[in-house]
Amino acid sequence: MKALATDFDGTLFFSSLTPCFKNKDLNAIHDFQSRGNWVGVCTGRPIEPILDDIGKRIQLDFYILSNGALVLNKKQQPLYKRLLDYETIHTIHEQYHDHCVIYLQSTHFLYATQRQKTNFRVKVHFLDHIENAASMEICGCSLVFTNADQAQRAYHSMKTINNSYDFFQNVNCIDIVPKDCSKGNGLKVIKQSFGIEIAGGIGDSFNDIPLLDEADVAFTFHNSVQQVQDHADILVNDLADTFRYL
């Protein structure tokens, strides 16, 4: 059996388009699955906003969520789960909440710690106080800065002082996950759990690099940044093109 793990935002789902999914991609997914193969998402989002956007368009075979901190099977049962401890969450909030918008990914929902208008077209719940996170299962968090330069400065600052969690820059965001979690590790869990013979992976940003490195066949787009292209085996025009090689 073959499988494809696809990034969600900017790869399968396009918030700037109407509709947000390309029919060509959806048809290719259905055809691939009809031949006994699997397709799953590999994303920084938690499960609720994924299901909200997908609706009944496709049936996913697995979910790699919160950049690999949570991996679910087709029935949305956990195969792998790692959590950020509250001390880490509180420290990150104290250090960065004046400089960016902070989102927390629980095992199901996306939370924001500030009521601030953003360009995100996803359902967001709000925490009135960061202390409320102490009783929650938080798989990851994202720091959303005004621009990529601010995110890059914060990323390099984290590299010099942190060894208790992992983090990935994604344009103007920094995604933070428990130590040793990544999209690549999430794909490894899927491969080992189900005996996948050939696993493809496709993504377009820095947090997708571990996914591309773990995939047997790695894809990205012709317009992806060079650092991401360097980790891909094949460049494609869109998601549908990947199935020609699997």
Side-chain angles (χ1 to χ4, degrees):
M1 180 174 60
K2 301 175 183 178
L4 178 72
T6 173
D7 174 46
F8 193 69
D9 294 282
T11 301
L12 172 60
F13 177 84
F14 302 88
S15 61
S16 61
L17 300 181
T18 303
C20 296
F21 294 89
K22 298 178 180 178
N23 286 332
K24 180 181 179 182
D25 293 340
L26 298 179
N27 291 336
I29 289 172
H30 291 147
D31 179 68
F32 188 67
Q33 291 176 314
S34 72
R35 291 182 273 120
N37 302 307
W38 282 10
V39 174
V41 291
C42 194
T43 176
R45 294 193 191 192
I47 187 71
E48 183 192 49
I50 291 292
L51 298 179
D52 283 349
D53 282 328
I54 286 179
K56 297 181 179 180
R57 294 177 179 86
I58 51 176
Q59 295 294 318
L60 295 170
D61 298 294
F62 58 88
Y63 304 80
I64 300 170
L65 306 167
S66 297
N67 289 292
L70 182 63
V71 182
L72 308 178
N73 64 14
K74 186 172 186 175
K75 295 181 178 180
Q76 299 164 31
Q77 298 165 326
L79 302 170
Y80 179 93
K81 180 171 72 173
R82 295 292 183 273
L83 303 175
L84 286 174
D85 61 84
Y86 174 67
E87 182 180 351
T88 296
I89 294 168
H90 188 270
T91 299
I92 291 169
H93 182 266
E94 288 300 300
Q95 186 169 359
Y96 292 103
H97 77 276
D98 287 334
H99 308 288
C100 63
V101 181
I102 300 176
Y103 293 90
L104 303 180
Q105 298 122 26
S106 77
T107 51
H108 291 85
F109 307 116
L110 182 66
Y111 294 88
T113 62
Q114 300 108 308
R115 291 184 179 272
Q116 182 169 334
K117 186 176 181 180
T118 71
N119 293 325
F120 280 13
R121 288 178 55 180
V122 299
K123 185 176 181 180
V124 178
H125 305 267
F126 291 94
L127 288 180
D128 293 327
H129 304 285
I130 190 62
E131 289 76 14
N132 293 344
S135 60
M136 300 165 60
E137 290 190 323
I138 303 298
C139 295
C141 72
S142 296
L143 314 183
V144 182
F145 294 87
T146 304
N147 56 59
D149 289 339
Q150 291 179 355
Q152 188 173 45
R153 287 194 294 270
Y155 175 84
H156 287 298
S157 174
M158 288 182 183
K159 285 182 68 173
T160 63
I161 62 174
N162 168 69
N163 60 7
S164 61
Y165 51 82
D166 285 338
F167 47 94
F168 309 93
Q169 185 180 354
N170 185 5
V171 191
N172 67 318
C173 304
I174 296 178
D175 296 325
I176 299 172
V177 293
K179 197 70 176 175
D180 299 324
C181 292
S182 69
K183 290 186 176 186
N185 185 66
L187 180 58
K188 184 183 294 184
V189 170
I190 293 297
K191 290 166 66 176
Q192 294 175 347
S193 298
F194 300 106
I196 304 297
E197 297 171 1
I198 300 176
I202 180 169
D204 66 333
S205 195
F206 299 109
N207 64 340
D208 296 310
I209 289 175
L211 167 65
L212 303 185
D213 290 342
E214 177 62 30
D216 300 304
V217 189
F219 304 91
T220 193
F221 301 114
H222 290 283
N223 62 354
S224 297
V225 297
Q226 187 62 48
Q227 296 98 310
V228 177
Q229 290 190 19
D230 290 343
H231 292 262
D233 300 307
I234 300 171
L235 303 183
V236 293
N237 293 315
D238 50 37
L239 175 60
D241 280 350
T242 63
F243 298 106
R244 297 167 48 203
Y245 302 95
L246 291 174

